[in-house]
Amino acid sequence: MSDPIETLTPVLTANWGDERSWTLEAYEAQGGYRALTKALGMAPDDIISAVKDSQLRGRGGAGFPTGMKWGFIPQDNPKPKYLVVNADESEPGTCKDIPLMMASPHTLVEGVIISAYAIRANHAFIYVRGEVLHVIRRLQRAVQEAYLAGHLGKDVHGSGYDLDLVVHAGAGAYICGEETALLDSLEGRRGQPRLRPPFPAVAGLYASPTVINNVESIASVPSIVANGPEWFSSMGTERSKGFGIFSLSGHVERPGQYEAPLGITLRRLIELAGGMRNGNALKFWTPGGSSTPLLTDEHLDVPLDFEGVGGAGSMLGTRALQIFDETVCVVRATLRWLEFYKHESCGKCTPCREGTWWLVQVLARLEKGQGTEADLDQLLDQCDNILGRSFCALADGAVSPVQSSIQYFRDEYVAHLTQGGCPFDPAASTLFAPAGARA
Amino acid sequence: MSTDTPLDDRTVAELREIAARYPQPRSGLLPMLHLVQSAQGRITPEGIEACAEVLGITAAEVSGVATFYTMYKRRPVGDYHVGVCTNTLCAVMGGDAILERLKEHLDVGNDETAASREGDTATVSLEHIECNAACDYAPVMTVNWEFMDNQTPESAVQLVDDLRAGREVRSTRGPRICTWREAERVLAGFNDGLADEGPSAGPASLVGRELARENGWTAPTGGEQRKADDK
């Protein structure tokens, strides 16, 4: 690896904050939809090759190579092909796609058109979570503007290519961010994951070949088409190319969105964010949402790319960096995450449905300082019986905070038992702590 | 005892219009249920039957879907449905304190509607919500699914009192808050023309971009930019 990555590289975030940035007029004024013109002059397979060559890996958490996913679509299959954008951003800590779609919905719409053209889909869907009303308004308006401008509809710009795009609002279910649950939900059913194989590329929406990609992945496509795959792969690290939006939240001075090459470190990002709040010490953090095992201040110099974070025992996930300082009780944090997983388990698989319920029971007791140290081994045993035993990754994500918090903070769990309760003052962690919390 | 507004012909026609947006009509069920809520203020037995009839599926199948998703309500919510994020990060940053204060102030439990006081022009219901993808604005609240960023217990009390008194409330990153029923209509896919309200982004969304500008940091020049530079 070359020099450490020190600076930011705004691409997707470059036009955020511009005057009326969400409108077609503003988007086109800064070069928007030129990549579409270029793409329509290319053979679809050449676009797939360009995305493969860029080495873009999925930005929704798993990091699967996007171009390879597109290449799995069997073009000799006579059924219609579909493109579905996963805009169900709900992983705790993840907050990058929502501001992207609010500030620049046309970046996503242009990406959808190019990507759908590449995989030869005539229908595309943006499945956006329902709880973000204004984002949905802006997506609806952007799609309407794109139709009026001839970017969507019949015979897009005389190319002979037809594309319809529907903005589809969900109705409150974390599980629908899981791609096969999302497809069931988009078919008008309960959002429950499907057993794979078959994978969506072969039998996805309506049992037809389907590409399902995250918002940020699809939004990166116009820049790759416009600037070339080498441009994209000139950023990042050896096996994690390009840029990504890093979302810092919690106890830093300036939480927010920082777009940088993959491989930047948390140490550098915290520096850019003005340091830790009140100069407090970093205690623990999630690299990519609550489903990725916690890391600590030992990991400040881990390159935030797929391999680096994997090597540290966690996952890059969605680059959702939730930062917790020394005022926060890790047992409280873990219990709250587990209550979330218990609530959001779709109930299909027994280890997840029952297991998350039991984890909450044991954790709630520990947090109150009840139970014994043997309960910690009980928790880890339960985790072993949940991990890898369900259809989808929700269950695997649920055990991450439990296992990692015990790994790094076993003493803190024990302190709850010896002190007969939580040793922390929750008011000290709040945003309004300096003025004195009145809970 | 039901006081639900009956579904009118226009709404039934719109349910059919939603189903027609999709290659297979059943895909329209989620937005159709949003429209039922807009028209009737909750998921009613009549609304379930109407969706079933439009889609040619059973009422049991529609009920199975309606009971799976948390945004569908079997009981009416207030004109303004207030959410407080109590997932870990927001809870730690103050969401727990905000929820406790609001429960006490409104004298309600979770997912309940507060009793109207004399002089109130609107009702408010309260629900603790999960992560709403705005963690850089913690602690986060929502009103009818519009963002209310960086709240405190005091601002939250002011917010619900303003809503109940009919004073104008704007999202911190969006338009004047519409009613829950109006919001549900947008979720059903019928735009209300308010997309141009509000800013491009909130301040936290822009911190990295502003820092890059101050320091002159950019992404490398790509093929497209090079062509532009050569001109």
Side-chain angles (χ1 to χ4, degrees):
Chain A
M1 244 174 46
S2 53
D3 299 334
I5 293 153
E6 295 286 331
T7 65
L8 300 173
T9 50
V11 177
L12 298 176
T13 58
N15 64 330
W16 296 9
D18 286 357
E19 184 74 20
R20 292 170 61 82
S21 62
W22 61 89
T23 62
L24 182 74
E25 190 186 3
Y27 184 66
E28 290 191 335
Q30 48 99 41
Y33 287 104
R34 268 191 248 156
L36 174 61
T37 309
K38 184 173 173 182
L40 290 173
M42 292 167 71
D45 281 337
D46 291 344
I47 299 173
I48 297 180
S49 297
V51 173
K52 277 184 184 164
D53 292 347
S54 75
Q55 300 177 61
L56 170 67
R57 294 171 65 174
R59 298 302 194 225
F64 192 83
T66 303
M68 196 186 291
K69 202 183 233 187
W70 295 6
F72 288 157
I73 293 290
Q75 290 298 339
D76 55 356
N77 187 318
K79 289 184 173 178
K81 323 290 182 285
Y82 295 105
L83 174 70
V84 179
V85 176
N86 185 344
D88 193 56
E89 183 166 65
S90 310
E91 169 71 17
T94 309
C95 49
K96 62 192 178 66
D97 298 336
I98 291 302
L100 187 151
M101 294 185 287
M102 188 183 280
S104 191
H106 282 287
T107 310
L108 178 62
V109 172
E110 185 179 16
V112 166
I113 304 167
I114 296 171
S115 306
Y117 172 74
I119 65 160
R120 281 140 277 191
N122 299 112
H123 263 105
F125 302 88
I126 299 173
Y127 184 111
V128 57
R129 65 181 303 178
E131 305 97 324
V132 289
L133 189 64
H134 203 48
V135 171
I136 292 167
R137 283 195 189 97
R138 291 217 168 138
L139 282 172
Q140 289 170 341
R141 177 67 185 138
V143 168
Q144 187 186 31
E145 284 186 308
Y147 269 104
L148 292 170
H151 299 323
L152 283 168
K154 291 274 174 220
D155 191 20
V156 175
H157 296 303
S159 62
Y161 172 64
D162 303 336
L163 178 63
D164 280 311
L165 172 57
V166 175
V167 176
H168 179 95
Y174 166 67
I175 189 62
C176 291
E178 196 282 332
E179 61 177 15
T180 61
L182 187 153
L183 293 174
D184 260 36
S185 179
L186 185 53
E187 290 181 0
R189 300 168 197 280
R190 294 163 80 90
Q192 294 193 312
R194 302 173 180 176
L195 193 61
R196 285 161 293 191
F199 287 92
V202 176
L205 187 66
Y206 314 134
S208 300
T210 302
V211 161
I212 175 157
N213 279 137
N214 168 258
V215 169
E216 195 184 352
S217 309
I218 293 292
S220 298
V221 169
S223 69
I224 292 170
V225 168
N227 298 307
E230 303 76 21
W231 166 81
F232 186 84
S233 61
S234 74
M235 289 174 268
T237 56
E238 195 186 336
R239 290 175 58 201
S240 299
K241 297 299 189 191
F243 48 81
I245 303 172
F246 291 81
S247 308
L248 269 77
S249 60
H251 292 142
V252 290
E253 286 291 342
R254 285 191 299 276
Q257 308 300 321
Y258 296 82
E259 193 175 7
L262 301 190
I264 194 167
T265 63
L266 184 66
R267 186 183 299 284
R268 179 62 176 153
L269 284 168
I270 289 178
E271 201 175 287
L272 295 173
M276 292 293 293
R277 180 190 68 152
N278 302 335
N280 285 1
L282 170 67
K283 182 171 172 182
F284 61 95
W285 54 290
T286 66
S290 58
S291 300
T292 62
L294 299 174
L295 296 176
T296 69
D297 60 352
E298 292 165 38
H299 306 103
L300 276 164
D301 296 308
V302 169
L304 296 176
D305 61 11
F306 293 105
E307 294 69 34
V309 184
S314 188
M315 288 177 289
L316 182 65
T318 49
R319 288 151 278 122
L321 305 156
Q322 302 175 87
I323 313 292
F324 298 92
D325 72 15
E326 58 196 322
T327 65
V328 182
C329 171
V330 79
V331 182
R332 176 190 178 206
T334 303
L335 169 62
R336 191 57 59 90
W337 277 317
L338 265 293
E339 286 172 338
F340 162 75
Y341 289 107
K342 173 192 158 195
H343 181 253
E344 300 297 334
S345 172
C346 79
K348 184 166 183 165
C349 307
T350 309
C352 176
R353 182 185 66 242
E354 302 296 318
T356 51
W357 191 88
W358 278 108
L359 289 173
V360 168
Q361 298 302 303
V362 179
L363 281 165
R365 223 159 66 113
L366 285 169
E367 204 229 355
K368 287 191 222 119
Q370 300 160 356
T372 69
E373 211 174 326
D375 287 336
L376 296 177
D377 299 321
Q378 166 87 331
L379 279 176
L380 293 174
D381 190 46
Q382 287 171 348
C383 290
D384 286 342
N385 281 303
I386 295 169
L387 183 65
R389 294 179 196 269
S390 296
F391 274 31
C392 84
L394 185 145
D396 302 346
V399 305
S400 289
V402 180
Q403 291 178 326
S404 56
S405 63
I406 295 176
Q407 178 188 349
Y408 295 116
F409 301 100
R410 195 180 182 102
D411 290 350
E412 196 166 308
Y413 279 91
V414 174
H416 281 69
L417 298 173
T418 52
Q419 299 190 26
C422 181
F424 291 86
D425 171 15
S429 307
T430 62
L431 182 73
F432 32 85
R438 289 172 45 208
Chain B
M1 68 163 272
S2 172
T3 55
D4 298 323
T5 334
L7 279 181
D8 57 16
D9 291 348
R10 181 189 129 183
T11 307
V12 174
E14 284 174 342
L15 289 175
R16 292 186 193 285
E17 188 186 328
I18 294 170
R21 288 179 201 148
Y22 297 88
Q24 294 190 10
R26 184 166 173 170
S27 282
L29 183 52
L30 266 62
M32 287 165 71
L33 289 168
H34 282 303
L35 188 70
V36 166
Q37 298 206 121
S38 175
Q40 299 198 291
R42 66 182 186 108
I43 299 290
T44 60
E46 188 195 7
I48 286 173
E49 293 287 349
C51 290
E53 195 181 318
V54 166
L55 298 177
I57 59 178
T58 66
E61 287 174 297
V62 176
S63 278
V65 173
T67 50
F68 185 83
Y69 298 92
T70 52
M71 291 176 79
Y72 298 135
K73 303 296 183 189
R74 290 300 182 107
R75 287 178 299 153
V77 296
D79 298 308
Y80 298 101
H81 187 59
V82 173
V84 181
C85 179
T86 55
N87 201 298
T88 300
L89 188 114
C90 275
V92 160
M93 300 293 285
D96 278 357
I98 291 170
L99 183 67
E100 280 317 303
R101 180 72 74 82
L102 285 182
K103 278 182 175 172
E104 188 189 305
H105 182 73
L106 297 170
D107 192 23
V108 291
N110 187 49
D111 219 1
E112 289 179 4
T113 305
S116 283
R117 304 165 305 179
E118 206 178 313
D120 280 357
T121 61
T123 54
V124 162
S125 48
L126 181 68
E127 183 180 11
H128 80 84
I129 59 171
E130 298 299 353
C131 186
N132 219 64
C135 317
D136 44 346
Y137 297 95
V140 171
M141 291 177 60
T142 57
V143 179
N144 296 342
W145 311 118
E146 303 274 18
F147 286 115
M148 301 302 296
D149 301 322
N150 296 122
Q151 297 296 306
T152 67
E154 291 72 26
S155 69
V157 165
Q158 184 68 50
L159 171 64
V160 295
D161 284 349
D162 286 347
L163 291 168
R164 292 204 281 183
R167 285 188 284 272
E168 176 172 309
V169 173
R170 290 191 163 265
S171 162
T172 49
R173 275 186 277 163
R176 177 180 179 163
I177 309 279
C178 63
T179 66
W180 185 78
R181 285 193 178 201
E182 287 166 344
E184 283 292 321
R185 189 170 168 79
V186 176
L187 298 180
F190 297 99
N191 201 283
D192 59 6
L194 297 178
D196 287 344
E197 300 278 315
S200 164
S205 308
L206 302 175
V207 285
R209 181 230 197 208
E210 299 306 328
L211 197 62
R213 289 196 166 191
E214 284 164 24
N215 290 281
W217 296 331
T218 58
T221 311
E224 202 58 24
Q225 282 115 298
R226 268 200 298 273
K227 259 187 274 170
D229 293 345
D230 291 344
K231 278 178 196 164

